[in-house]
Amino acid sequence: MSLSQAQTIHDASSSSTIDASGSPRQSGDFNEKKDQVEQEKQAVRSEIDNVDEALEQYGEHPDGGLRAWLVISGCAIGACATFGFVNAWGVFQEYYQQKVLVGTSPSTIAWIGSIQYALVFLPGLVVGRIFDMGHTKLPLGIASAVIVAVTFLTAECTKYWHFLLCQGIAFGLASGVVFGVVMGCPAHWFKHRIGLALGIMALGSSLGGTTFPIAVRNLIDRVGFKWTMRIIGFIELALLSFQFATVERRLPPKKHTGPFFDLSAFKSPQFSLYCTSSFLAFLGIYTVLTYIDVSASSKGIDPDFSFYLLAIANACSAIGRLTGGIFADRLGALSVMTPATFIAGILTYAWPFANNVGGFIAIAIVYGCASGVYVSLLAAPVVRMGKTQDVGVRVGMSMTVIAIGAVAGPPISGAINAATGTYKYTGIYAGTTVMVACCFLLATRVSILGSVWGKC
């Protein structure tokens, strides 16, 4: 055998040896990578499905059943007693301008209602963290007691700063605590039907926004302002007692809650875009509800009728809240919210140009339905942007951002009206902010889906 042949045989043998010894290592690396890929896929599926393995012992979301619907009914009653009463601010705005705070500018009086609106949302960051830590009954109990107390105290108010402290700050803060808790609870009980659950819960604020203005207006004529507020106080006591008995979380508190204020959610482009849209929407979306009755009176509409416009708008919002929740479960929350918000923006532009009873009624009906869809689904996209155990913090942070828009919106509208002497430019301002909010809703949708089309 030649030297070259021997060398060839040796090289072949070495190559064979290398292949034989390397094959098991390559196979092991392949299996290891396969297992790693499967683990990553499982982690992604877990995140998408909003499942925490540590919570599997508590089972899937019930998505129905007596206990779950009792919780939702309690949340709805809580929303009625808090946000529903806040939605009735329009009738107080008119009464204070004409009877109690005569000589005070409308924009100054509007600060009471704006602070109410803002404080319903502002405590969300703190209340959301407290909710995730497992506390439900304690914040509900304390806040409910404060609401009842300040409602009775409002009956004794005579000066602007009295109303600002009692009806604006104290009632608003306590309502914010209640609202923060009831906004987090539905996500513990519902997943696939979360839109319907939130829609039914939002019916409570629509019911309150419809009945409280009518009750307040008629009671003031019959028994006076003081006894009106005392009667409202007893109604609040009954509503909040039912809420306290029924509202409860299902899952245990999160073991590792992290820092009390966790702003890491804003690193998500989707969450940040959505919060920006909410802030812009609340700069203008409550302008119509705040001024529709006053603007109607300024156009010569009988004041005995004009105050019913607020009740009509809130009653029609019930239709939007319920149907919006139903369609959101099928089409996606953003798919339903965006066109409804667009319609609300168009009606905000049109509102100052109504000149007769028919025009104002049409505005109240359509605007009520459209704005009802938006408000009822406000938390739905946020709920789906993470895990259930963190829902309180996410919802709370978004509500805190909303509060900034809520506190600034109506006074800006009032100041524009005072400066121009007409509601035309007020409507242009408010309508534009709502329209820009629609653009950010579309941007949120594209950020999530990568496209305008699809369920989201």
Side-chain angles (χ1 to χ4, degrees), residues 188-308:
H188 277 235
W189 299 88
F190 290 85
K191 180 180 178 182
H192 301 293
R193 303 172 74 186
I194 186 66
L196 176 61
L198 291 173
I200 292 174
M201 188 194 81
L203 285 177
S205 61
S206 178
L207 176 63
T210 303
T211 57
F212 276 125
I214 297 174
V216 169
R217 178 63 179 266
N218 286 281
L219 284 170
I220 286 175
D221 292 339
R222 295 186 181 185
V223 299
F225 179 74
K226 287 189 176 182
W227 269 106
T228 294
M229 296 309 298
R230 290 165 186 162
I231 292 171
I232 296 297
F234 284 116
I235 294 173
E236 294 278 9
L237 177 61
L239 295 174
L240 293 170
S241 296
F242 178 82
Q243 170 219 244
F244 184 81
T246 55
V247 172
E248 186 57 272
R249 59 186 292 126
R250 182 179 69 91
L251 300 174
K254 187 177 180 181
K255 293 181 179 180
H256 304 290
T257 57
F260 196 85
F261 296 104
D262 185 5
L263 303 180
S264 61
F266 287 106
K267 295 179 181 179
S268 165
Q270 297 88 350
F271 184 77
S272 296
L273 285 169
Y274 183 73
C275 287
T276 303
S277 74
S278 301
F279 163 74
L280 291 168
F282 271 79
L283 281 175
I285 201 159
Y286 273 105
T287 295
V288 174
L289 292 179
T290 301
Y291 293 106
I292 189 170
D293 49 354
V294 180
S295 64
S297 297
S298 69
K299 295 288 184 70
I301 307 297
D302 185 357
D304 290 333
F305 171 79
S306 63
F307 95 96
Y308 280 104

Side-chain angles (χ1 to χ4, degrees), residues 42 64 71 80 87 113 144 149 202 243 273 289 310 312 315 337 356 364:
Q42 182 62 36
V71 170
C80 176
N87 278 343
S144 298
Q243 170 219 244
L273 285 169
L289 292 179
L310 178 62
I312 292 171
M337 292 173 69
N356 52 46

Side-chain angles (χ1 to χ4, degrees), residues 306-370:
S306 63
F307 95 96
Y308 280 104
L309 291 170
L310 178 62
I312 292 171
N314 282 318
C316 291
S317 74
I319 300 173
R321 293 167 196 256
L322 186 58
T323 56
I326 293 172
F327 282 108
D329 288 332
R330 299 180 180 181
L331 305 175
L334 289 174
S335 301
V336 179
M337 292 173 69
T338 306
T341 309
F342 179 81
I343 294 172
I346 294 295
L347 268 294
T348 304
Y349 282 131
W351 149 63
F353 299 96
N355 293 308
N356 52 46
V357 172
F360 276 104
I361 291 176
I363 295 291
I365 290 174
V366 181
Y367 181 85
C369 290

Side-chain angles (χ1 to χ4, degrees), residues 46-51 187 194 264-278 333-334 337 377-395 397-398 440-441 443-449 456:
S46 177
E47 183 70 21
I48 293 174
D49 294 335
N50 200 14
V51 174
I194 186 66
S264 61
F266 287 106
K267 295 179 181 179
S268 165
Q270 297 88 350
F271 184 77
S272 296
L273 285 169
Y274 183 73
C275 287
T276 303
S277 74
S278 301
L334 289 174
M337 292 173 69
L377 297 176
L378 199 57
V382 180
V383 167
R384 297 186 181 277
M385 289 181 183
K387 296 185 178 182
T388 301
Q389 279 192 303
D390 297 319
V391 68
V393 171
R394 290 196 311 279
V395 172
M397 286 191 293
S398 67
F440 276 89
L441 284 175
T444 305
R445 181 184 185 85
V446 172
S447 179
I448 293 173
L449 296 177
C456 180

